[in-house]
């Protein structure tokens, strides 16, 4: 066994259960538990971790001179190492995994002021939990085919991008914040759930797809706040995907299908956007520049009249603009997120020409015939069409008596309201 002075040990472990103490930059090649007992300053590289190593930073920091690697992971196929509770700053790469199929886990780690915060070669597994990756040139730069998992973490202030990729990797991002970066998350495809992706100088989320003859990739984007990004909130360059239950607000364009690659081999991307609040985006709510159809029904476009588009049947729509081949009818006439969509925008009851409206904003659609007034005509329309599919599909919008059902009691309640006007 190598002596303590050679590998940076401040003292030999007294029992097998106690972690080995580290007080200098070194290589940790023996599997086991290690603990940092002091801050470390490095010229060039600092620590190298081999398979089976767990390093507890104990709240300490390792700081570089702008070159080298803070922590290098020297791992083989199916081998892993873990770092927790450590601060890493001012290296060319804060953490880097070598060109083999290993897995690194960073838990409770702060990685700041590096050229690249976390750098990975092809086909790695990188897990980031409860960590901060901020103020680097690039936050995380995975290689092709890497599986990147980020949970309950913050990526902010990274000058080029929070996550950057050239050839496509898979990202899982959950309950995290991506804010104030040069650009947000650039990835092949992945799963994005309950995040805040906001205030980035470029795109919020960009999905470039996977280079494979049978699979361009398929993303799932659910329950996120994607707002105030200077570029698209979400850009699909090649990957298809499902976008549901998000607030996509105040971006340059809410969702952009850029059409960079409309098909590859046997694969064609498919797009389904439903149950989102898409509003206040500067240029377009959805812009489809691809050759594929985007299904985008039951979204709220910022106004009950729906999106600005040639195919909108309302006379003066006032929602976000839609461009290209986008199927947006029916749309939700109320904000969606946090509840079920009231999804009959662009549809009328019976033989009427216009959708019902809610003139007083109480969530009940007393203007049954859609002419903009609440009068005796609406009472007649409600009585004659109380079994209409639109009414039966949205009972909460026409339950004027508030008894949980839609029936003649609602006709009487509407009549009383009209009579008392």
């Amino acid at each position: 066994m190598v002596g303590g002075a050679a590998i940076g040990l401040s003292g030999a472990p007294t029992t097998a259960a106690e972690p080995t103490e580290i007080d200098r930059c070194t290589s940790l090649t023996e599997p086991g538990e290690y603990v940092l007992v002091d801050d470390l300053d490095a010229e060039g590289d600092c620590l190298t971790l081999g398979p089976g190593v767990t390093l507890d930073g104990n709240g300490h920091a390792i700081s570089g001179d702008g070159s080298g690697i803070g922590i290098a992971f020297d791992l083989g196929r199916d081998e892993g190492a873990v770092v927790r509770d450590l601060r890493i700053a001012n290296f060319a790469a804060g953490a880097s995994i070598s060109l083999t199929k290993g897995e690194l886990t960073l838990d409770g780690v702060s990685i700041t002021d590096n050229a690249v915060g976390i750098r990975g070669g092809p086909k790695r597994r990188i897990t980031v939990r409860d960590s901060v990756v901020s103020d680097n040139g690039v936050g995380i730069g995975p290689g092709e085919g890497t599986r990147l998992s980020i949970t309950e973490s913050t990526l902010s202030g990274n000058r080029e991008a929070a996550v950057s990729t050239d050839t496509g990797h898979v990202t899982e991002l959950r309950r995290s914040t991506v804010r104030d970066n040069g650009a947000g998350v650039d990835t092949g495809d992945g799963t994005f759930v309950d995040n805040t992706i906001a205030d980035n100088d470029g795109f919020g989320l960009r999905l470039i797809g996977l280079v494979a003859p049978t699979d361009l990739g398929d993303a799932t984007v659910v329950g996120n706040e994607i707002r105030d990004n200077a570029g698209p909130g979400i850009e699909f360059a090649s990957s298809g995907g499902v976008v549901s239950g998000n607030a996509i607000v105040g971006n340059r364009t809410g969702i952009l299908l850029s059409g960079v690659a409309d098909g590859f081999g046997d694969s064609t991307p498919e797009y389904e956007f439903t149950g989102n609040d898409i509003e206040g985006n500067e240029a377009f709510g959805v812009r489809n520049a691809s050759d594929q159809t985007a299904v985008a029904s039951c979204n709220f476009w910022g106004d009950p009249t729906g999106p600005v588009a040639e195919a909108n049947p309302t006379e003066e729509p006032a929602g976000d603009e839609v461009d290209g081949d986008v199927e947006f009818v029916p749309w939700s006439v109320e904000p969606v997120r946090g509840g079920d969509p009231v999804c009959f925008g662009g549809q009328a009851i019976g033989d009427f020409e216009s959708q019902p409206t809610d003139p007083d904003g109480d969530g009940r659609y007393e203007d049954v015939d859609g002419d903009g007034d609440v009068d005796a005509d609406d009472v007649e329309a409600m009585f004659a069409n109380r079994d209409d599919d639109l009414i039966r599909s949205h009972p909460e919008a026409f339950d004027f008596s508030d008894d949980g059902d839609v029936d003649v009691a609602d006709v009487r309640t509407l009549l009383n309201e009209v009579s008392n006007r």
Side-chain angles (χ1 to χ4, degrees), residues 51-69:
V53 170
T54 296
L55 174 64
D56 183 354
N58 199 27
H60 289 294
I62 60 173
S63 302
D65 61 356
S67 67
I69 300 171

Side-chain angles (χ1 to χ4, degrees), residues 49 53-56 73 80-84 104-107 129:
L49 273 58
V53 170
T54 296
L55 174 64
D56 183 354
F73 292 80
V82 178
V83 177
R84 59 175 181 261
L104 67 88
T105 299
L106 303 171
D107 192 347
R129 295 192 295 261

Side-chain angles (χ1 to χ4, degrees), residues 205-420:
L205 175 61
R206 184 171 185 260
L207 300 153
I208 70 168
L210 303 174
V211 180
T214 59
D215 186 8
L216 281 171
D218 191 25
T220 299
V221 185
V222 177
N224 303 279
E225 293 275 344
I226 303 175
R227 59 176 65 241
D228 301 323
N229 297 286
I234 306 171
E235 179 183 356
F236 287 88
S238 294
S239 171
V242 173
V243 179
S244 179
N246 305 279
I248 305 173
V249 179
N251 307 283
R252 172 64 180 166
T253 292
I255 303 174
L256 171 63
L257 282 63
S258 57
V260 171
D262 289 317
F264 188 88
D266 298 328
S267 182
T268 299
E270 296 182 357
Y271 308 103
E272 181 179 346
F273 313 143
T274 183
N276 304 284
D277 291 336
I278 304 174
E279 57 182 311
N281 297 288
E282 182 180 350
F284 300 97
V286 174
R287 182 169 188 264
N288 186 0
S290 78
D291 292 336
Q292 309 305 317
T293 298
V295 178
S297 60
C298 293
N299 298 292
F300 180 66
W301 299 92
D303 192 271
T305 58
V308 174
E310 290 185 5
N312 190 324
T314 60
E315 290 186 4
E316 296 182 359
D320 277 20
E321 186 171 353
V322 165
D323 180 63
D325 188 0
V326 180
E327 296 180 354
F328 57 83
V329 179
W331 61 82
S332 180
V333 295
E334 296 180 5
V336 177
R337 200 157 180 240
D340 295 327
V342 183
C343 186
F344 53 71
Q347 298 177 326
I349 290 172
D351 294 328
F352 297 106
E353 294 182 356
S354 300
Q355 70 191 43
T357 71
D358 174 18
D360 59 4
D362 66 351
R364 302 288 190 263
Y365 285 73
E366 298 93 342
D367 177 21
V368 179
D369 61 10
D371 67 355
D373 297 318
V374 179
D375 51 26
D377 291 340
D378 297 295
V379 179
E380 294 179 7
M382 183 65 189
F383 179 77
N385 295 279
R386 61 189 184 277
D387 291 325
D388 185 89
D389 287 344
L390 189 154
I391 291 177
R392 289 298 173 187
S393 298
H394 303 280
E396 70 287 346
F398 301 95
D399 182 16
F400 306 128
S401 64
D402 200 25
D403 64 358
D405 295 313
V406 177
D407 50 29
V408 293
D410 301 293
V411 179
R412 287 194 296 267
T413 300
L414 184 57
L415 175 60
N416 291 335
E417 180 177 337
V418 170
S419 300
N420 292 328

Side-chain angles (χ1 to χ4, degrees), residues 133-137 154-162 177-184 196-204 227-230:
V133 182
S134 65
D135 300 318
N136 304 284
T154 297
L155 286 73
S156 66
N158 298 288
R159 293 180 294 281
E160 295 182 31
T177 298
V178 180
R179 186 187 295 274
D180 293 321
N181 301 281
T196 297
I197 303 175
D199 300 306
N200 297 288
D201 291 339
F203 54 79
R227 59 176 65 241
D228 301 323
N229 297 286

Side-chain angles (χ1 to χ4, degrees), residues 110-128:
S110 173
I111 302 179
T112 62
D113 300 302
N114 305 280
V116 178
I118 303 170
R119 185 174 65 197
K123 298 183 179 180
R124 308 296 165 266
R125 298 185 67 91
I126 301 173
T127 299
V128 181

